[in-house]
Amino acid sequence: MAQAVHSELQGTIVSILVGEGDVVGERTVVALVESMKLHHDVVAGVAGRVSSIAVAEGTTVQAGTPIVHVEPVGEDEAVAADEIVTAGPTGTDRRDLADVIARHELGLDEARPEAVAKRHGRGHRTARENLADLVDDGTFVEYGPLAVAAQRKRRTHDDLIANTPADGMIGGIGTINGALFEGRDARAVTVSYDYMVLAGTQGTRNHIKKDRLFEVAERLRLPVVFFTEGGGGRPGDTETPGVSGLDCLAFLWFGQLSGTVPLVGIASGYCFAGNAAILGCCDVVIATRDANIGMGGPAMIEGGGLGVYAPTEVGPIEVQRANGVVDVVADDEAHATAIAKQYLSYFQGPVADWTCPDQTALRDVVPTDRLRSYDVRAAIEGLFDTDSVLELRRDFANGMITALARVEGRPVGVIANDPAHLAGAITSDGADKAARFMQLCDAHSIPIVSLVDTPGMMVGPETEETALVRHCSRLFVTGANVTVPMVSIVLRKSYGLGAQAMMGGSTKAPLACIAWPTGEFGGMGLEGAVRLGYRKELDACTTDAERDALFAELVGRLYEVGKALSVAEYFEIDDVIDPVDTRRWISAILESAPPRPDGPVRPNVDTW
């Protein structure tokens, strides 16, 4: 017996979606009724075959009015799914969804084979290839992929869609190193200019995109990884809201992120003007060997009447690695991306799996001959977890080493004097390098390990011309104010202001100040102390041999007074240890330190 399918509402029948003889299921929509300006489904409620249509389209009905009649399926009958009538396209066959999918596909590399081939031909990867390598598969959600350049007054809509996808900037949220870290610890904001779109220039809408992504990073407290290749501001947009464009918020908001979240910049190819300004604000700058980085590109230089230069002449990597702009030099974009992932991992937390080198080898890193140089990197590589050391600004201020590393999986920051350069004396550049690195560690709760081997601050008239007084004093101000745990290990020389600066101001400033057996301490270098303090006795010698013998004797006496074992007797340091026990000391401090409480935004990290 046929069953009536009723309207549950009072209204007007706007569509009858089935006909006599059609097979319907229980969830089949048989009609639409308009009520209060909305179209509501009339659902069959029973599986069967439509036996009759009770009303015509346009009919006003009351609640309970029959719309169609359905002859139910018998108990011994079955209705095949492909027999049931549908009310229209579903799933990806829907026009609205199909349009959205097609529009997104136009922004992918597959839709731009010629541009991609050109990019590959120059030895570069595409922006999407870089982000796909950086971000874990399936985790990236993109902001603003449908944006186009603000050039409607000079280009057609189809042209803009085809040739300015995402307005030359791809950005969103994804996970990085998700195999090592869980939940939000792996989350990051990732951004890349797209050099295949208007040479990666900063357009009106990708400026707005940057603002949005920087706001998201601040509100969620997420790191930012930014591929910055591009030519700076774009002069060709026609829908700009003002005149100068100087009211753009991107640089303000990105600058405010400093010290709040880790900022990682990656440069390859040409990175000029505004793109370089973004790069320079980052905590770390990773650049490929073919990178050219400059606050002004060739057009700006020529426009300022300063001459005509090829892009490759402006800020080449050999210049920018030596002057401290670039922290790490990568072979290519794949290598740069791998370095970025490693760098970010130190700020994401400890790792469970680790090994360390044979610690007994540390006993022989520093020679017994106190005047013989040695490789301090052998101490660094030997002391910390295997393959965990990432050195920053290696080619700048060579007498000071700054690196990120791990001890039993826990991230630490390392500063170390390099006795192979000026015997480890601290220069203006070296002080700046170490102080800025200490700021970075302090801002992001990374403990600091200081490896000390310095005769003190560098001295001399030429050195004072570098504003040494101000630069070296940065170490005292920065070290005295860091809030993360610090451990100082004296490898050999620990003299004067330089040694105090490496320890945060005093041997009592670190939570532990220990020395290896080769450690020696004093207000200044032994040889200089003898020459100054015993000048009268030395001048009284009648022969060079007599003078040399007395000098050696006096240096030996001072050494006995200032050697690590003697200094430890006065408890000026916490202990003299077998180098094998160094990691145990560091781990004891790291395990004992309470988590730093959340508080107001910490001071920014100097760009220099």
Side-chain angles (χ1 to χ4, degrees):
M1 180 179 177
Q3 294 185 14
V5 179
H6 305 93
S7 170
E8 296 181 357
L9 300 170
Q10 176 184 346
T12 302
I13 301 299
V14 293
S15 297
I16 300 294
L17 302 176
V18 296
E20 292 184 6
D22 286 346
V23 176
V24 297
E26 291 184 5
R27 304 297 301 169
T28 300
V29 178
V30 300
L32 296 176
V33 58
E34 182 180 297
S35 179
M36 298 299 292
K37 304 299 183 182
L38 289 178
H39 294 180
H40 300 269
D41 294 345
V42 178
V43 180
V46 61
R49 192 176 298 278
V50 177
S51 58
S52 66
I53 307 297
V55 297
E57 292 181 353
T59 303
T60 299
V61 298
Q62 300 297 317
T65 300
I67 306 302
V68 302
H69 293 90
V70 176
E71 190 73 35
V73 175
E75 293 182 2
D76 57 348
E77 297 181 71
V79 176
D82 59 0
E83 290 185 74
I84 298 175
V85 68
T86 58
T90 59
T92 56
D93 291 330
R94 293 170 51 121
R95 176 63 183 273
D96 54 357
L97 179 57
D99 286 348
V100 168
I101 293 173
R103 179 65 182 278
H104 279 85
E105 288 175 344
L106 289 175
L108 302 180
D109 288 350
E110 290 76 9
R112 299 184 284 172
E114 292 183 2
V116 171
K118 185 176 181 181
R119 181 79 176 160
H120 289 169
R122 293 178 174 174
H124 287 278
R125 301 196 297 190
T126 70
R128 292 195 179 276
E129 287 170 337
N130 281 326
L131 289 177
D133 187 16
L134 175 71
V135 178
D136 299 332
D137 289 345
T139 67
F140 186 61
V141 291
E142 184 175 349
Y143 282 62
L146 302 182
V148 296
Q151 297 185 2
R152 282 185 168 85
K153 295 181 180 178
R154 56 184 295 210
R155 307 174 77 145
T156 66
H157 186 237
D158 288 345
D159 180 17
L160 291 172
I161 291 174
N163 295 305
T164 68
D167 196 23
M169 168 177 282
I170 303 164
I173 298 174
T175 68
I176 300 174
N177 298 322
L180 298 174
F181 307 99
E182 296 181 352
R184 74 178 309 276
D185 289 342
R187 289 283 172 183
V189 170
T190 58
V191 193
S192 178
Y193 288 107
D194 185 348
Y195 201 78
M196 296 192 301
V197 176
L198 303 174
T201 49
Q202 297 177 320
T204 299
R205 295 211 172 90
N206 75 36
H207 266 312
I208 297 172
K209 255 205 245 189
K210 285 201 303 296
D211 296 349
R212 175 63 167 161
L213 289 165
F214 296 164
E215 177 195 16
V216 167
E218 192 276 332
R219 290 169 63 181
L220 295 178
R221 290 295 193 269
L222 293 181
V224 179
V225 182
F226 208 138
F227 291 85
T228 60
E229 181 184 11
R234 182 191 305 159
D237 285 359
T238 59
E239 301 160 57
T240 55
V243 178
S244 69
L246 301 182
D247 56 352
C248 155
L249 295 172
F251 300 104
L252 167 66
W253 287 0
F254 198 57
Q256 289 176 341
L257 285 176
S258 176
T260 304
V261 299
L263 304 176
V264 183
I266 304 171
S268 64
Y270 302 137
C271 179
F272 296 136
N275 297 55
I278 291 290
L279 181 70
C281 289
C282 291
D283 300 334
V284 66
V285 172
I286 303 165
T288 58
R289 296 186 185 280
D290 68 344
N292 287 83
I293 304 167
M295 288 306 294
M300 292 182 67
I301 296 170
E302 184 177 359
L306 301 176
V308 178
Y309 295 90
T312 52
E313 296 179 276
V314 182
I317 193 66
E318 293 307 318
V319 169
Q320 303 292 27
R321 70 191 301 178
N323 64 15
V325 166
V326 172
D327 291 276
V328 187
V329 179
D331 296 331
D332 52 28
E333 287 161 300
H335 187 208
T337 303
I339 293 169
K341 294 168 77 170
Q342 179 184 353
Y343 175 88
L344 189 60
S345 73
Y346 300 102
F347 301 85
Q348 293 174 303
V351 295
D353 295 329
W354 57 270
T355 60
C356 69
D358 177 7
Q359 294 299 284
T360 61
L362 293 176
R363 292 168 171 162
D364 298 314
V365 168
V366 182
T368 55
D369 178 357
R370 58 180 297 272
L371 298 180
R372 184 176 172 184
S373 184
Y374 65 95
D375 182 7
V376 73
R377 287 183 176 84
I380 296 172
E381 294 289 344
L383 180 58
F384 298 101
D385 291 355
T386 304
D387 296 328
S388 75
V389 178
L390 177 63
E391 186 173 345
L392 306 179
R393 299 175 106 178
R394 178 166 184 154
D395 302 305
F396 169 67
N398 305 107
M400 185 73 72
I401 294 173
T402 53
L404 293 163
R406 294 184 185 274
V407 176
E408 296 184 358
R410 298 181 185 88
V412 295
V414 183
I415 59 173
N417 308 112
D418 187 351
H421 293 271
L422 300 175
I426 301 174
T427 63
S428 291
D429 284 345
D432 286 345
K433 179 178 177 179
R436 195 261 184 182
F437 181 74
M438 292 166 71
Q439 285 183 347
L440 174 67
C441 293
D442 191 45
H444 301 295
S445 301
I446 295 180
I448 299 169
V449 177
S450 172
L451 304 181
V452 183
D453 186 351
T454 179
M457 302 293 187
M458 188 62 190
V459 295
E462 291 183 0
T463 299
E464 298 303 343
E465 291 177 5
T466 68
L468 181 74
V469 171
R470 285 289 195 175
H471 289 285
C472 281
S473 296
R474 289 187 69 199
L475 279 174
F476 292 114
V477 174
T478 303
N481 288 283
V482 296
T483 59
V484 294
M486 177 186 281
V487 176
S488 289
I489 300 130
V490 177
L491 305 185
R492 188 160 62 187
K493 295 180 181 179
S494 179
Y495 288 112
L497 294 171
Q500 289 174 290
M502 289 294 293
M503 301 174 185
S506 164
T507 58
K508 292 299 191 289
L511 285 168
C513 180
I514 54 181
W516 285 1
T518 45
E520 53 186 80
F521 297 77
M524 64 184 300
L526 300 184
E527 289 78 9
V530 168
R531 290 190 181 95
L532 286 175
Y534 295 88
R535 180 177 296 173
K536 182 177 179 181
E537 289 83 348
L538 292 171
D539 287 345
C541 294
T542 57
T543 66
D544 290 344
E546 181 185 357
R547 185 179 298 106
D548 290 344
L550 178 59
F551 181 80
E553 178 187 348
L554 293 172
V555 169
R557 288 182 197 171
L558 289 185
Y559 175 75
E560 286 301 316
V561 172
K563 68 181 182 180
L565 281 174
S566 300
V567 173
E569 291 177 1
Y570 290 86
F571 195 43
E572 291 185 14
I573 59 176
D574 295 306
D575 199 7
V576 185
I577 65 169
D578 181 342
V580 167
D581 292 328
T582 309
R583 285 173 60 92
R584 185 160 60 87
W585 266 92
I586 297 172
S587 294
I589 299 300
L590 298 185
E591 290 179 359
S592 303
R596 190 160 66 172
D598 291 333
V601 175
R602 294 163 190 150
N604 62 281
V605 179
D606 285 348
T607 59
W608 188 240

